[in-house]
Amino acid sequence: MTSRKPATIAVRTGIESDTQYHAVVPPIYLSTNYGFPAFGEVPEYDYTRSGNPNRGLLEKALYELEGGQAAVITNCGTAALNLWVSAFLNPGELLLAPNDCYGGTYRLFHNRALKGDFKVKFVDFCDDAAVREAMALKPKLILLETPSNPLVRVVDIEKICQQAHATGAKVAVDNTFLSPVYQQPISLGADFVIHSTTKYINGHSDVLGGVIISKTAEDGETLGWWANCIGASGTPFDSYMTLRGIRTLGARMRSHEENSQKILDYLLSHKLAGTVYHPGLPTHPGHEIAKKQQKGFGSMLSFEFAGSYDQLKKFVSQLQLFSLAESLGGVESLICHPASMTHRAMDDEALKNAGISQQLLRLSVGLEDAGDLIADLDQAFTYAQEEN
Ligand SMILES: *Cc1c(COP(=O)(O)O)cnc(C)c1O
């Protein structure tokens, strides 16, 4: 039944698959090993590092949602990125990655390249000349991350994939910010999709996980072989929890977006919110590309605080319903000051290159009542401006 719609895939994968007790919800298989039916006869699952029923169901749900042929569940998003380069890059071969990619991704690629495992070049994929120059270096792999963190810059996936394939490179898209509900990179030409399932896919800020989905079964086999070889696999319990999160993914993504739309309208009207960054704004540089390649604009947004730095600190400390914390995509709203939190490993020069100012604040809009969230922002803006 390949024609099933995403909501059905998300809700039904694995339902009624238990043949022993006919449990409606698939049970958790915590056993690390499985009996061989007879001497010399290898069972479907033998040892959890190589395979497990819960991981298998989560893989199926995710590759079907992304329109791929195979998936490998890893213990975190970083492990999925590490698995990808381990499986496909040899010493001397070149990887292109975004100059404003997730900080942990930058650290991973930069440090593995320093050890000589492969070569890496960080590129601004919004700059056509820079992309042409980088493509001429004959990269083997290309990573895109769109929309990017924290400025939600949008890269044209279809265009980059065409250029990449013309030079023989394969492309992976880190789709963490939108999930398959709002963007399906494989349908735009990508060869792989990577997620930190820690974020929207699990959606409740209580599981660390990752996945890499491949367009072809053959690449999926290579990735599965390497996941077992280097020990990158996710655990049964985490897989169970993440599939539970996926059941409501569509409903959550739509509510997140509805709330963020109301918050955007409010921020655009407040004098302490300077430039607001969100792909849904007609003034956003990537708006037209986002309209073409995304099914929704997502609910990550950031803005320049237009008061003093002291007022910014007062504003953030006064918020009751936005927790000052890293990560994103959970049901609870979060606020982050990228320069001192998620991106603090960057020196001033790197922050400047990435366009991240000291006045920038990032919101992960949760599922609380939108009116309550706006009232909270409003009282904190007022407090920040008072003499106290
Ligand atoms: C969080 C994140 C990662 C890393 O995932 P972990 O699960 O924390 O290892 C990679 N890419 C993006 C865009 C992220 O937000």
Side-chain angles (χ1 to χ4, degrees):
M1 294 258 306
T2 46
S3 62
R4 285 186 172 177
K5 298 288 189 290
T8 312
I9 296 167
V11 172
R12 296 297 306 189
T13 301
I15 296 286
E16 278 192 65
S17 60
D18 171 36
T19 50
Q20 190 176 13
Y21 294 115
H22 310 288
V24 171
V25 171
I28 308 186
Y29 293 88
L30 293 176
S31 182
T32 52
N33 48 1
Y34 296 82
F36 280 57
F39 186 87
E41 233 178 84
V42 182
E44 183 177 1
Y45 296 110
D46 61 347
Y47 185 59
T48 290
R49 176 164 28 76
S50 5
N52 162 275
N54 297 100
R55 211 159 65 225
L57 286 179
L58 179 59
E59 284 167 358
K60 187 165 183 294
L62 283 169
Y63 72 66
E64 287 189 359
L65 286 171
E66 286 287 6
Q69 296 276 325
V72 176
I73 304 299
T74 55
N75 53 63
C76 63
T78 306
L81 288 151
N82 194 39
L83 170 61
W84 181 57
V85 293
S86 302
F88 295 110
L89 280 181
N90 295 309
E93 292 179 335
L94 176 66
L95 162 70
L96 303 182
N99 65 341
D100 59 349
C101 64
Y102 176 74
T105 304
Y106 173 82
R107 180 176 56 205
L108 171 69
F109 293 164
H110 177 67
N111 284 286
R112 283 202 61 169
L114 282 180
K115 285 168 69 73
D117 295 344
F118 48 80
K119 290 193 287 189
V120 66
K121 184 173 169 62
F122 295 97
V123 181
D124 178 355
F125 285 101
C126 297
D127 177 343
D128 287 342
V131 171
R132 267 197 308 276
E133 218 172 279
M135 292 287 180
L137 302 171
K138 296 275 171 213
K140 175 99 179 285
L141 291 182
I142 297 174
L143 178 74
L144 301 179
E145 198 183 304
T146 177
S148 73
N149 180 19
L151 293 171
V152 285
R153 295 168 74 209
V154 178
V155 172
D156 191 328
I157 296 174
E158 202 167 11
K159 189 169 102 183
I160 301 286
C161 285
Q162 279 168 4
Q163 291 173 302
H165 293 157
T167 69
K170 283 190 175 178
V171 180
V173 177
D174 184 330
N175 201 22
T176 299
F177 267 39
L178 290 178
S179 91
V181 173
Y182 285 149
Q183 183 167 271
Q184 292 173 299
I186 289 174
S187 73
L188 300 164
D191 304 283
F192 305 95
V193 179
I194 292 173
H195 285 277
S196 167
T197 57
T198 311
K199 317 292 169 51
Y200 287 103
I201 287 186
N202 177 62
H204 294 73
S205 305
D206 54 5
V207 177
L208 200 69
V211 66
I212 173 158
I213 295 131
S214 60
K215 181 180 176 170
T216 68
E218 191 192 350
D219 281 342
E221 239 170 77
T222 305
L223 287 164
W225 188 91
W226 276 98
N228 183 51
C229 175
I230 66 178
S233 322
T235 70
F237 187 78
D238 290 353
S239 299
Y240 176 91
M241 290 291 281
T242 304
L243 187 58
R244 190 179 191 272
I246 285 179
R247 304 299 188 202
T248 56
L249 180 63
R252 282 189 286 108
M253 292 307 286
R254 285 188 291 278
S255 298
H256 276 294
E257 194 173 64
E258 231 176 80
N259 273 2
S260 65
Q261 194 52 55
K262 292 178 185 160
I263 286 179
L264 277 170
D265 290 344
Y266 167 76
L267 286 176
L268 289 171
S269 73
H270 202 287
K271 68 176 195 308
L272 277 188
T275 310
V276 179
Y277 304 97
H278 186 261
L281 298 174
T283 50
H284 192 75
H287 179 65
E288 289 304 318
I289 303 167
K291 275 207 307 204
K292 185 183 72 159
Q293 71 185 15
Q294 301 176 194
K295 297 195 186 95
F297 294 118
S299 42
M300 292 304 298
L301 60 102
S302 51
F303 67 98
E304 306 284 346
F305 187 87
S308 70
Y309 194 61
D310 276 342
Q311 287 177 326
L312 177 148
K313 285 193 270 185
K314 278 168 64 182
F315 167 75
V316 170
S317 323
Q318 181 65 14
L319 289 166
Q320 309 291 308
L321 296 180
F322 290 82
S323 305
L324 180 62
E326 294 181 353
S327 196
L328 58 107
V331 294
E332 75 291 355
S333 291
L334 304 174
I335 188 161
C336 165
H337 180 243
S340 68
M341 296 170 67
T342 45
H343 293 66
R344 66 175 180 272
M346 287 186 167
D347 56 25
D348 289 349
E349 178 72 18
L351 283 173
K352 194 160 163 264
N353 281 338
I356 300 169
S357 79
Q358 292 294 330
Q359 296 297 115
L360 188 74
L361 292 172
R362 186 190 78 178
L363 300 183
S364 172
V365 178
L367 302 184
E368 301 90 341
D369 179 84
D372 285 348
L373 291 175
I374 289 168
D376 191 40
L377 291 167
D378 204 53
Q379 64 83 24
F381 275 132
T382 303
Y383 177 81
Q385 295 171 93
E386 284 166 1
E387 298 287 336
N388 41 26

